[in-house]
Amino acid sequence: MSNFTKEQAINLRSQLLRASVQCSERCLYHSAKWIAELASSLKDPADFDCHDDLDSDIAMPDGYPPDRISIFSTSEDDEESRLEAQEIGDYLLAKSFFDCREYDRCAAVFLPLNHAPVNVLSASPEPENHTPTKTNKGKGKAPAQSPEAVPRPRTTILPRMSQKSLFLALYAKYMAGEKRKDEESEMIMGPMDTGATINKELIEIARRLEDWFQERAIQGKEAQNHGWLEYLYGVILAKSSSIEDAKEYLIKSVHLNPFIWSAWTELRDLLTNVEALRTITPKLPPHLFTILFNLDANQSLYQTSPDTHSSITELLKAFPTSHYLQTQRALLHYHSKDYEESERIFSSIIHSSPHRLDSLDHYSNVLYVMSSRPKLAFLAQLATQTDKFRPETCCIVGNYYSLKSEHEKAVMYFRRALTLDRQFLSAWTLMGHEYVEMKNTHAAIESYRRAVDINRKDYRAWYGLGQTYEVLEMHLYALHYFQRAAALRP
């Protein structure tokens, strides 16, 4: 710990605001919001003096003008700046398509189509010169060609564009694939929703990125990368279950640009235990966001040590009104089963920001455990008035009906939360609890399994699986899942 001066505070605020603009330009809206809230909660620079205490190892690189922040960021790389200036019209067009959820149109602004669209109405079912494939009758099926033997299709050469535009185009393709994946899955826990549907755009995006990285390496420009494309490649690798490679690229991303909060959260989600966190910590840059990442990662691993509390205390000295840090403290008390203190902190957050819904599903869990039905009813009403179509709101209302023992209504709201966001972990776990109450063990097992597929660190889902198999008198299975839960939360 050492000094945190007024100049450093001004510089930090400037960097945070710039990072928020950069995230927004790349349509990473949750990160943009999170960073903007952090910047707004920073202690007034006029209140800093040389005796204020914050971590001495925080890197405060120069290079961002503290006196003004433009609504559009500009790259410090001259070549990138020229490309961004030339593309501004196309970029604004592509971003408007993205904001309207027209992801394919957004990608098509910058990326050429690999093939022309097929007119299915006029297409002939079989070309005239088609030669049937020979079969080995009576000798069984021909052996399938291994993936390694299939030649890699030639990727369309990327046109020359800035890193910002390339990221936006490839991220739009990724989002288009995610959207189609959800559409193919249809209704929650329906016949098509098996959890096995994949994003079919991942392979093409990975190939384009690999070609781009290879070209940059040949040109000797790897040090001039901005980190955004490394982050996207890390996401693609994680989706493809290449966990160690994904970690490597996400660490590269935060070294190139420590303000990419999305990269930090993806890296956090890949950590399965405390040992994994300790392994990667020395590889991270000395930066404020490294401290915030360690706090967030420890929280996701249910670590409630005094060091975590002291870390929050020190950060709150610099960010005294940060709702994120206050929420982290409330969750620490929740995981320590100090429900009264957790409820007090959440209540103060609602008082200061009544329309903030982030993490309020956890607050509803606290009120549920405390059997505080009047407060849970008030929270449900407040959340519904703010935005009834947020997953957090649906989980809050679901918890309210669960507390009233109206389990069918509770399930309805948890399913609604998952319709809005299939990756919303709390809804899967809570819906599993409701199915257990309804004695629908098959649906409960499926809900818990989907929860652990999203986050294998969710001890509640593992414990729920153990309980369900115990009800089914499958004691070896129950013991296995109880052991998994106990390993995560001794």
Side-chain angles (χ1 to χ4, degrees), residues 223 225-227 230 247-260 263-264 267 280-287 290:
N225 294 355
H226 295 171
E230 285 78 3
K247 289 180 184 178
E248 179 185 345
Y249 271 89
L250 291 170
I251 291 172
K252 282 184 183 178
S253 174
V254 299
H255 271 278
L256 291 164
N257 186 348
F259 288 99
I260 304 177
W264 293 105
L267 186 58
I280 69 162
T281 298
K283 303 176 184 178
L284 302 176
H287 195 270
T290 302

Side-chain angles (χ1 to χ4, degrees), residues 3 45 67 88 199 206-207 263 288 341 355 373 427 434 484:
N3 301 331
D67 54 338
I88 186 65
N199 184 338
R207 286 171 177 167
L288 168 66
E341 182 62 18
H355 303 300
R373 186 165 153 184
E434 296 308 303
R484 293 292 297 265

Side-chain angles (χ1 to χ4, degrees), residues 59-114:
M60 294 292 180
D62 297 326
Y64 298 132
D67 54 338
R68 59 189 175 88
I69 295 291
S70 172
I71 192 169
F72 289 107
S73 65
T74 55
S75 174
E76 296 178 4
D77 184 338
D78 291 338
E79 181 183 357
E80 286 291 317
S81 294
R82 284 194 298 270
L83 288 171
E84 289 176 10
Q86 293 169 5
E87 299 163 354
I88 186 65
D90 287 341
Y91 164 77
L92 290 174
L93 176 65
K95 188 174 185 302
S96 67
F97 289 149
F98 192 104
D99 292 342
C100 293
R101 295 173 59 85
E102 299 182 44
Y103 302 124
D104 289 309
R105 291 186 75 190
C106 173
V109 172
F110 291 110
L111 298 179
L113 294 173
N114 286 340

Side-chain angles (χ1 to χ4, degrees), residues 6 59 147 471:
K6 178 179 178 179
V471 170

Side-chain angles (χ1 to χ4, degrees), residues 115-258:
H115 53 80
V118 178
N119 186 344
V120 296
L121 296 178
S122 62
S124 173
E126 184 176 338
E128 293 180 1
N129 60 350
H130 174 71
T131 304
T133 303
K134 294 182 180 180
T135 58
N136 297 325
K137 293 184 179 179
K139 298 182 181 180
K141 294 182 179 180
Q145 196 173 13
S146 67
E148 292 79 4
V150 178
R152 170 176 162 173
R154 183 176 178 181
T155 305
T156 304
I157 297 175
L158 289 172
R160 191 163 179 263
M161 70 182 81
S162 67
Q163 295 182 47
K164 178 166 74 174
S165 296
L166 179 59
F167 176 88
L168 180 62
L170 293 178
Y171 185 53
K173 286 192 76 67
Y174 169 76
M175 292 300 295
E178 290 293 297
K179 183 181 178 184
R180 278 190 282 273
K181 183 181 77 170
D182 288 346
E183 290 169 351
E184 290 171 8
S185 298
E186 298 180 358
M187 64 180 293
I188 299 297
M189 294 183 71
M192 303 299 292
D193 186 25
T194 62
T197 313
I198 62 170
N199 184 338
K200 297 176 183 177
E201 300 291 340
L202 296 182
I203 295 176
E204 182 185 348
I205 298 170
R207 286 171 177 167
R208 289 183 184 272
L209 285 170
E210 287 162 6
D211 289 344
W212 188 84
F213 290 135
Q214 185 178 8
E215 183 180 351
R216 297 288 287 186
I218 293 171
Q219 295 173 352
K221 294 182 178 180
E222 289 178 298
Q224 298 173 28
N225 294 355
H226 295 171
W228 301 95
L229 292 166
E230 285 78 3
Y231 152 67
L232 182 58
Y233 192 48
V235 172
I236 301 301
L237 290 170
K239 289 283 186 180
S240 305
S241 300
S242 301
I243 303 303
E244 293 306 315
D245 290 338
K247 289 180 184 178
E248 179 185 345
Y249 271 89
L250 291 170
I251 291 172
K252 282 184 183 178
S253 174
V254 299
H255 271 278
L256 291 164
N257 186 348

